[in-house]
Amino acid sequence: MASSILIEFVTAIGRFLLNPVLYIAILFAILLGYSRVKQERKFFNRRIIWGWTELVGQWKRGWPYALIISIISVGVGLTVPKTFLLVLVAFSTLALLLFFINSLSPIYTMGFATLATWAMYHYNWSFSWWKVSLVGTDLFEGAIVTITIITGLCVIAEGMLIRRTSTMVTTPRVEKTKRGMQAIVYRTRNIWVLPIFFIMPGDMISSVFPYWPQFTLGERSFAFILFPVVIGFAKLSRKELPVLQLPKIGRSVLLLGQLILIGGLASFIEPLIGFITLAVGVIIRLIIAIYYAMQDKTEIYAVAPSSKGAVIAAVLPHSPAEKMGLLAGECIRKVNGHPIYTESELYEALQLNAAHCRLEVLDRNNEIRLTQHVIYSNDHYRIGLLLAEQRDV
């Protein structure tokens, strides 16, 4: 038994590498990094964040949550129908190809995959292509319980990812306001892949791939499958800085995931609760997205040129500015005792004392603080600051 399970896990990993969603998501992350760097060079004439950040973060951020969900899925024995997973592949692929990043929330993809699986069973629809056939499954037989629980766990992971890692890949861009001025907006676009182990009941896989090893518990056989659950999130922030806004969105999504998980547990008693939970979850997730989108339809910008001084649009990683604790949204009033308003004035003030930099800063709470740093020969000549000012774009 132990050797069969081990072979099953190893083979599941092999099948994972054959899933087309995996490679589409990887290419998509590379494209996000390329377009972000291109945008940074367009507006600020330099790259702000490493171009492979999205691709590395796609796996680095998601695997801990995938491991936890896999342990729960396999440990508890949450089985999912083959049709549900295949439809989920189709929805995820379509969303990636159409560049609908926000539609890759698990409540959307898994919710609509559930609806499609139920409709195929209810209306007796079936589809076949090559050796793969799709037929409906009676979700009231217990599958709706496991699907709802897994959806809740994935939405919880989505909330944690938005809350903890979205601010690591936010990039500024210049936007023209309705009054003809310029302001800074921040774009966040992330794609995470969670490789999760699922259990599929019966001989569903072996009927398509006869060489797929399975293990048997009693008279029922099961197959492991390592499935790439793709989660996407995109946001354009104007009124509030991403470091302040995105954690709020993450907490809202995290709470939604907890409610879906509770609904999944309650569906043990009445399967209909699972369907209702997924439907309400889709509506609430839409409300969350619309609410925060409407907040940014405003003429109020968190970062814009100011008469008080030079407003920081971004801080380059590992720069003297980062070591001084300078943050986007703060306003530099003086450098080495001289008032500044532009990058050129910043550079001129730095030359007054090439070995040491003293700044008077107005922080996000409009409180004055002083900071200083020793400038080394290999440091960025403008200490790694990008300022909000009128630019030719």
Side-chain angles (χ1 to χ4, degrees):
M1 174 65 71
S3 61
S4 297
I5 294 177
L6 180 60
I7 293 174
E8 188 77 17
F9 272 111
V10 174
T11 309
I13 295 173
R15 299 299 173 220
F16 172 78
L17 298 175
L18 297 177
N19 196 313
V21 174
L22 173 65
Y23 299 100
I24 295 174
I26 290 174
L27 291 174
F28 195 90
I30 294 173
L31 178 61
L32 287 182
Y34 170 79
S35 61
R36 174 183 53 75
V37 171
K38 185 177 179 180
Q39 173 185 295
E40 291 169 352
R41 295 189 185 281
K42 173 184 177 182
F43 292 113
F44 300 97
N45 298 319
R46 59 180 61 84
R47 187 198 71 191
I48 300 175
I49 307 174
W50 187 43
W52 297 97
T53 301
E54 284 83 356
L55 180 60
V56 173
Q58 182 180 86
W59 299 93
K60 182 179 179 181
R61 314 299 176 194
W63 76 262
Y65 304 103
L67 178 61
I68 295 173
I69 297 174
S70 295
I71 292 173
I72 296 174
S73 174
V74 175
V76 178
L78 300 177
T79 59
V80 292
K82 178 189 73 172
T83 299
F84 170 79
L85 292 179
L86 292 176
V87 174
L88 185 57
V89 168
F91 276 120
S92 300
T93 301
L94 184 63
L96 287 168
L97 293 177
L98 295 179
F99 224 78
F100 292 161
I101 299 178
N102 280 327
S103 65
L104 286 167
S105 171
I107 186 59
Y108 296 149
T109 55
M110 294 186 177
F112 287 112
T114 301
L115 176 62
T117 304
W118 171 84
M120 290 173 64
Y121 176 81
H122 185 75
Y123 295 103
N124 198 26
W125 295 338
S126 62
F127 304 92
S128 296
W129 179 77
W130 192 48
K131 293 184 178 181
V132 179
S133 61
L134 289 178
V135 294
T137 302
D138 187 1
L139 300 180
F140 283 94
E141 298 260 331
I144 187 60
V145 177
T146 59
I147 288 174
T148 308
I149 291 175
I150 289 172
T151 302
L153 292 172
C154 289
V155 173
I156 290 174
E158 177 193 11
M160 296 293 287
L161 287 166
I162 294 173
R163 185 177 178 180
R164 294 184 177 181
T165 66
S166 287
T167 54
M168 298 180 182
V169 194
T170 58
T171 186
R173 59 179 295 174
V174 178
E175 182 176 270
K176 191 173 182 179
T177 68
K178 293 181 180 179
R179 298 179 180 179
M181 304 298 289
Q182 290 182 352
I184 303 296
V185 298
Y186 294 86
R187 170 175 284 177
T188 302
R189 295 190 296 184
N190 290 273
I191 293 291
W192 301 289
V193 175
L194 276 61
I196 300 175
F197 275 103
F198 291 122
I199 302 175
M200 297 180 61
D203 299 318
M204 293 180 179
I205 296 181
S206 61
S207 62
V208 179
F209 302 104
Y211 44 84
W212 181 285
Q214 292 183 305
F215 67 95
T216 303
L217 298 176
E219 297 181 353
R220 193 173 186 183
S221 60
F222 298 83
F224 281 128
I225 182 169
L226 185 59
F227 187 86
V229 175
V230 181
I231 299 176
F233 176 74
K235 184 73 177 70
L236 193 65
S237 302
R238 292 184 178 89
K239 185 178 180 181
E240 198 170 15
L241 287 165
V243 71
L244 302 175
Q245 185 183 62
L246 299 186
K248 296 178 184 178
I249 300 176
R251 285 193 292 270
S252 300
V253 176
L254 178 60
L255 178 59
L256 172 61
Q258 294 170 347
L259 295 175
I260 295 172
L261 182 58
I262 293 173
L265 296 174
S267 62
F268 273 110
I269 303 173
E270 173 53 58
L272 184 60
I273 296 176
F275 288 97
I276 296 174
T277 298
L278 293 177
V280 173
V282 169
I283 295 173
I284 294 177
R285 187 65 182 88
L286 281 171
I287 292 174
I288 293 173
I290 293 172
Y291 173 77
Y292 284 101
M294 293 301 295
Q295 277 194 341
D296 285 307
K297 289 188 177 297
T298 175
E299 276 295 291
I300 301 175
Y301 289 82
V303 178
S306 172
S307 59
K308 298 179 181 179
V311 180
I312 301 174
V315 177
L316 298 182
H318 314 298
S319 64
E322 185 181 64
K323 295 173 184 176
M324 283 190 282
L326 297 177
L327 302 171
E330 293 185 326
C331 179
I332 302 175
R333 299 180 63 178
K334 294 181 180 180
V335 175
N336 291 330
H338 289 258
I340 68 160
Y341 299 93
T342 64
E343 281 194 12
S344 60
E345 291 175 350
L346 168 66
Y347 174 67
E348 293 172 0
L350 287 174
Q351 299 307 302
L352 298 175
N353 189 344
H356 200 269
C357 176
R358 298 187 304 275
L359 277 71
E360 179 182 305
V361 181
L362 197 63
D363 65 17
R364 294 168 178 169
N365 296 319
N366 288 321
E367 296 179 356
I368 297 177
R369 65 182 177 91
L370 300 176
T371 184
Q372 56 186 357
H373 184 72
V374 176
I375 304 295
Y376 298 98
S377 59
N378 60 343
D379 282 335
H380 192 279
Y381 76 104
R382 287 178 179 167
I383 67 172
L385 285 174
L386 300 179
L387 303 181
E389 60 179 355
Q390 296 296 316
R391 298 174 182 270
D392 295 327
V393 294

